């Protein structure tokens, strides 16, 4: 996997019921790295949520790292949107 | 509506159970409880929560950032788009702010084909200028549903410690302004959430000055405030007796009931007590 820049942004936290989402630009297609306290139970549904949210944001070339601490779906969506928005804004300004 | 519980807008854990504690309304907060560098992610979190999370039909408002800040317009726009219909706007103090806000809300109501007044806000008055202008602002604020007092910022502006003597005037003025235009009024939070005696005393004063409810910061404050702001047994019995006495044909104009004069203002007060009871027990 080739990174297109060292720039990364994140949103959220590893506190209870929250999730820390970090995003980076990459040259290839979307890549998701999940680290969760309930990884086996929910990893597939979390990946679907991430893909769906990223599609709606019309993004693709991203490495998304997720450190989940039992966050509900709406929290994951919100943190992902915030991290991507911060990345877009930082790219625009640089 | 009596009790409005503030919930920090960037804390998912605090949002999850907030609707279960019995407050009449929740205020998801993007202002003082959110650090500057977290404003955007809190905005996204509140927006997503409003769209996806079940708050158990409890009334919702969002306190956005004040109109002198960098964030308020984006707060307002994203959250209206997400379905928020009621806002709390901090540090309001000028007619020009009201006009700006009213223009945006009118425009958004048209854009979303809402009825006039479907969008609304609670105006938080927490500066000496805001307090002094409370009536004038209220007259211009067609979408305002309530006036709220912010004691902490008011005391900071005055350079004083929080003290009942200092708070009596702004509270009276705000409650009176709200009553003058026929909207609700919510007193400031009581920050020492472990001091329930202090809260009880503070809430009693607020009610006696005419506030219709109070803002809260902790679930333990809800029952105390709901109890204090509801009419008590004696008031309800008195009001029912006054209204029942009107059934007697001789009781017109001013008349006597158990040795006390009853006239139009007394009847009006009795009706208000019963109406308040009905509003808050539905």
């Amino acid at each position: 996997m080739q990174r297109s820049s060292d720039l990364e942004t994140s949103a959220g936290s590893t506190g209870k019921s929250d999730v820390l989402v970090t995003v980076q630009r990459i040259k290839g297609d979307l890549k998701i790295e999940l680290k969760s306290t309930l990884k086996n139970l929910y990893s597939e549904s979390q990946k679907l949520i991430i893909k769906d949210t990223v599609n709606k944001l019309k993004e693709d070339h991203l490495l998304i790292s997720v450190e989940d601490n039992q966050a509900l779906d709406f929290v994951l969506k919100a943190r992902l949107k915030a991290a991507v928005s911060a990345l877009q804004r930082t790219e625009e300004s640089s | 509506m009596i009790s409005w519980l503030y919930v920090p807008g960037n804390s998912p854990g605090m949002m999850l159970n907030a609707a279960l504690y019995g407050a009449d309304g929740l205020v998801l907060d993007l202002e003082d409880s959110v650090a500057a560098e977290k404003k955007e992610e809190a905005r996204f979190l509140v927006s997503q929560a409003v769209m996806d999370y079940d708050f158990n039909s409890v009334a919702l408002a969002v306190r956005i950032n004040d109109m002198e800040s960098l964030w308020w317009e984006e707060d307002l726009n994203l959250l209206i788009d997400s379905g928020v219909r009621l806002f709390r706007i901090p540090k309001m103090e000028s007619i020009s702010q009201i006009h700006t806000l009213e223009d945006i809300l009118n425009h958004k109501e048209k854009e979303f084909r809402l009825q006039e007044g479907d969008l609304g806000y609670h105006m938080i008055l927490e500066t000496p200028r805001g307090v002094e202008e409370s009536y004038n602002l209220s007259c211009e604020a067609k979408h305002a549903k309530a006036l709220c007092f912010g004691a902490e910022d008011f005391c900071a502006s005055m350079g004083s410690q929080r003290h009942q003597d200092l708070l009596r005037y702004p509270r009276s003025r705000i409650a009176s302004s709200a009553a003058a235009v026929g909207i609700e009024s919510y007193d400031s939070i009581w920050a020492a959430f472990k001091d329930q005696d202090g809260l009880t005393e503070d809430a009693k004063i607020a009610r006696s000055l005419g506030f219709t409810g109070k803002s809260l910061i902790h679930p333990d404050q809800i029952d105390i405030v709901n109890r204090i702001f509801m009419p008590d047994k004696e008031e309800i019995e008195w009001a029912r007796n006054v209204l029942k006495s009107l059934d007697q044909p001789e009781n017109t104009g001013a008349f006597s009931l158990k040795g006390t004069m009853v006239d139009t203002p007394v009847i009006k007060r009795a009706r208000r007590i019963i109406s308040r009871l009905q509003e808050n027990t539905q």
Side-chain angles (χ1 to χ4, degrees):
Chain A
M1 174 179 48
Q2 199 176 354
R3 290 174 187 170
S4 60
S5 83
D6 289 334
L7 184 64
E8 67 173 36
T9 53
S10 60
S13 75
T14 54
K16 182 104 168 79
S17 307
D18 206 347
V19 57
L20 179 65
V21 176
T22 305
V23 297
Q24 273 184 289
R25 275 289 163 223
I26 53 173
K27 295 250 161 88
D29 291 339
L30 177 68
K31 184 167 171 52
I32 300 167
E33 291 175 351
L34 277 182
K35 188 175 160 190
S36 169
T37 52
L38 300 170
K39 186 171 178 179
N40 294 331
L41 279 176
Y42 297 110
S43 57
E44 286 312 308
S45 71
Q46 286 182 322
K47 280 179 184 170
L48 282 176
I49 288 167
I50 292 167
K51 284 176 186 168
D52 183 54
T53 306
V54 168
N55 278 339
K56 284 177 181 160
L57 295 171
K58 298 183 173 23
E59 287 284 355
D60 190 13
H61 306 294
L62 294 174
L63 166 62
I64 299 175
S65 306
V66 174
E67 204 170 332
D68 174 45
N69 190 359
Q70 301 177 43
L72 294 184
D73 293 352
F74 82 86
V75 182
L76 174 58
K77 284 185 208 171
R79 298 316 196 189
L80 179 55
K81 285 181 182 178
V84 171
S85 170
L87 183 70
Q88 291 168 336
R89 207 179 46 251
T90 312
E91 286 171 340
E92 279 169 17
S93 65
S94 61
Chain B
M1 304 283 288
I2 290 173
S3 50
W4 286 89
L5 177 66
Y6 278 110
V7 183
N10 202 33
S11 301
M14 289 191 183
M15 276 182 204
L16 300 186
N17 294 325
L20 305 177
Y21 297 122
D24 295 326
L26 301 177
V27 185
L28 305 178
D29 181 36
L30 297 178
E31 199 213 12
D32 287 347
S33 68
V34 179
E37 67 276 14
K38 298 286 185 186
K39 293 289 186 187
E40 188 178 31
E41 57 181 82
R43 185 190 299 136
F44 277 112
L45 184 64
V46 167
S47 157
Q48 204 68 49
V50 170
M51 288 191 287
D52 293 355
Y53 189 61
D54 179 8
F55 284 98
N56 216 18
S57 302
V58 175
L60 280 185
V62 176
R63 179 166 72 170
I64 63 170
N65 288 286
D66 72 78
M67 293 179 71
E68 303 303 315
S69 74
L70 300 170
W71 306 289
W72 76 274
E73 271 189 282
E74 280 188 73
D75 290 347
L76 195 63
N77 282 313
L78 179 69
L79 292 164
I80 291 175
D81 295 353
S82 307
V84 177
R85 295 293 174 257
L86 184 62
F87 294 88
R88 278 196 172 190
I89 321 286
K91 300 182 181 64
M92 297 209 74
E93 56 179 19
S94 73
I95 295 287
S96 66
Q97 287 176 330
I98 296 286
H99 288 165
T100 302
L101 185 60
E102 290 286 329
D103 285 348
I104 292 174
L105 297 183
N106 283 327
H107 176 79
K108 284 286 187 184
E109 282 175 343
K110 282 181 188 150
E111 183 186 337
F112 286 92
R113 298 185 182 190
L114 299 170
Q115 298 290 312
E116 197 178 322
D118 279 355
L119 294 174
Y121 58 94
H122 295 174
M123 195 189 312
I124 309 180
L125 303 162
E126 47 194 338
T127 64
R129 185 180 170 197
V131 170
E132 292 301 329
E133 289 288 333
S134 58
Y135 175 68
N136 293 331
L137 299 177
S138 302
C139 289
E140 295 292 314
K142 305 302 177 200
H143 289 85
K145 311 291 187 195
L147 300 187
C148 305
F149 179 44
E152 304 301 328
D153 278 289
F154 181 82
C155 292
S157 298
M158 297 293 286
S160 302
Q161 293 286 323
R162 181 169 175 151
H163 187 277
Q164 295 298 352
D165 289 343
L166 175 67
L167 300 185
R168 187 168 294 273
Y169 169 71
R171 283 167 137 178
S172 297
R173 179 138 190 157
I174 289 169
S176 173
S177 296
V181 295
I183 59 178
E184 302 288 297
S185 54
Y186 299 112
D187 186 37
S188 184
I189 60 145
W190 179 254
F193 58 86
K194 289 188 176 172
D195 176 12
Q196 301 205 336
D197 291 342
L199 170 67
T200 301
E201 182 62 20
D202 193 59
K204 282 180 178 171
I205 292 170
R207 190 184 172 204
S208 74
L209 293 174
F211 280 96
T212 57
K214 192 168 175 64
S215 302
L216 316 170
I217 54 160
H218 194 282
D220 288 350
Q221 299 179 322
I222 296 169
D223 286 347
I224 294 171
V225 164
N226 281 346
R227 178 169 43 79
I228 287 169
F229 278 88
M230 280 289 278
D232 64 25
K233 273 185 188 171
E234 281 179 17
E235 284 175 291
I236 295 164
E237 191 181 335
W238 171 83
R240 283 183 174 145
N241 284 337
V242 167
L243 297 181
K244 198 173 167 190
S245 70
L246 298 175
D247 293 341
Q248 303 297 319
E250 66 273 22
N251 287 343
T252 56
F255 58 91
S256 166
L257 176 68
K258 294 181 181 176
T260 306
M261 184 183 76
V262 174
D263 60 0
T264 304
V266 174
I267 295 165
K268 195 173 170 184
R269 184 153 62 90
R271 287 198 170 120
R272 196 176 158 91
I273 288 169
I274 297 301
S275 147
R276 185 151 185 76
L277 179 70
Q278 288 166 344
E279 281 166 18
N280 289 292
T281 49
Q282 281 171 354

